[in-house]
Amino acid sequence: MFEKCEGIVLRTVNYGESNKIVTLYTREWGKVGVMARGAKKPNSRLSAVTQPFTYGYFLVQRSSGLGLMQQGEMVSSMRSIREDIFLTAYASYIVDLTDKTVEEKKPNPFHFELLHQTLNYMNEGYDPEIMVNIYEMKMLNSLGLYPVLDKCSVCGSTDGHFSFSIREGGLICHRCLEKDPYHYKISPAALKLLRLFYYFDLSRLGNISVKPETKAELKKIISAYYNEYSGLSLKTRKFLDQMDKMGGFFEKG
């Protein structure tokens, strides 16, 4: 029996001469793998709807193993992302992080909405670096990580000057700095954004403008936290880091 689902294409793998194995993240069923027969053929009705980042509705026959995709109805191809190598790199990391973090066939409508909104904002021209930072902060709980961002992770104090401690797993106040000599200094602006990214509802995102030095702080702390605790080593993340080192060589203009 074929059933309709709302989904986003996370990745595809060519299979045989004309088929694709497509990993979908769906609102109804979570992450599922499906065979799209003939999708490699340019004239196939499945060719366009099985491109990475595509959001739409899919008619799928589920099974205990690989399902079967019969047809798809595209809502958005995320065209702006796919036509820009810079945006593609950021979006690739976001879907890669999703693919490696969520479990097979475990629906989570909150995560589905988070992924859809994040890609949509990027497609509409929101700052991709900031969208990645927001997504990374919001994916922490899925990885079993709960950074302490509302008080000192050592003494519990809510007042004072704060730094960020990877060792202690969150904020550390000026009175407890000796507990971690390797703490990161953090500006009030970066601290406010870390908290905002972790706690706020993404659907309420307005225009957000962040200074380059604050962006650098956020990236350094979030990356260090992920490196220490996530257990992930993603090629898409390494590519973003290389792009960053090349000073935006891949950026438009």
Side-chain angles (χ1 to χ4, degrees):
M1 184 179 77
F2 284 91
E3 303 168 84
K4 191 176 185 179
C5 67
E6 183 183 357
I8 295 164
V9 177
L10 296 182
R11 62 186 167 94
T12 63
V13 177
N14 291 335
Y15 185 79
E17 286 187 15
S18 59
N19 308 321
K20 286 182 186 175
I21 295 173
V22 182
T23 302
L24 290 174
Y25 192 42
T26 71
R27 186 186 293 277
E28 296 85 354
W29 314 318
K31 185 171 74 168
V32 293
V34 294
M35 175 73 75
R37 290 189 180 135
K40 270 175 71 179
K41 296 176 181 175
N43 58 352
S44 165
R45 55 194 170 82
L46 294 178
S47 177
V49 294
T50 53
Q51 298 296 320
F53 319 129
T54 299
Y55 163 66
Y57 292 90
F58 302 88
L59 205 56
V60 167
Q61 184 179 52
R62 288 190 288 163
S63 75
S64 56
L66 204 58
L68 183 66
M69 182 189 294
Q70 187 183 53
Q71 65 186 66
E73 175 195 338
M74 184 190 294
V75 177
S76 172
S77 68
M78 303 292 172
R79 184 176 172 183
S80 297
I81 292 174
R82 292 193 12 224
E83 290 182 348
D84 184 322
I85 188 173
F86 184 63
L87 291 179
T88 296
Y90 282 99
S92 296
Y93 169 61
I94 284 168
V95 297
D96 198 13
L97 181 57
T98 307
D99 190 21
K100 298 296 191 297
T101 303
V102 302
E103 294 182 52
E104 295 270 349
K105 300 176 183 174
K106 287 229 175 150
N108 187 324
F110 166 77
H111 277 168
F112 178 84
E113 199 56 42
L114 176 64
L115 176 62
H116 177 224
Q117 287 174 341
T118 303
L119 291 175
N120 213 39
Y121 280 131
M122 282 177 59
N123 194 56
E124 288 174 359
Y126 280 69
D127 188 326
E129 290 176 84
I130 294 304
M131 295 316 303
V132 160
N133 288 160
I134 294 172
Y135 198 77
E136 287 175 318
M137 291 302 292
K138 292 201 169 299
M139 288 300 280
L140 288 174
N141 294 2
S142 304
L143 291 158
L145 301 173
Y146 299 87
V148 179
L149 297 172
D150 57 347
K151 60 189 175 186
C152 175
S153 53
V154 177
C155 73
S157 175
T158 55
D159 69 308
H161 304 295
F162 290 98
S163 296
F164 195 93
S165 168
I166 302 299
R167 179 189 290 178
E168 299 296 336
L171 300 182
I172 186 169
C173 74
H174 65 281
R175 293 172 287 266
C176 298
L177 289 181
E178 75 280 357
K179 295 283 185 185
D180 181 7
Y182 304 105
H183 62 267
Y184 289 87
K185 286 187 169 59
I186 184 168
S187 66
L191 174 56
K192 185 180 175 184
L193 288 172
L194 266 187
R195 284 175 171 155
L196 186 69
F197 295 172
Y198 186 64
Y199 290 114
F200 90 122
D201 181 351
L202 187 58
S203 65
R204 295 170 53 211
L205 183 68
N207 279 321
I208 189 162
S209 179
V210 181
K211 293 177 181 174
E213 56 269 29
T214 308
K215 276 189 194 178
E217 275 187 88
L218 290 168
K219 185 185 173 188
K220 184 189 285 185
I221 288 168
I222 296 170
S223 294
Y225 191 82
Y226 261 78
N227 289 342
E228 183 69 25
Y229 294 115
S230 75
L232 297 171
S233 178
L234 305 179
K235 288 179 182 174
T236 46
R237 173 78 256 179
K238 288 171 185 167
F239 184 71
L240 284 185
D241 293 339
Q242 285 172 347
M243 235 173 38
D244 198 41
K245 281 176 188 168
M246 294 182 79
F249 175 79
F250 291 101
E251 289 187 54
K252 291 182 289 183

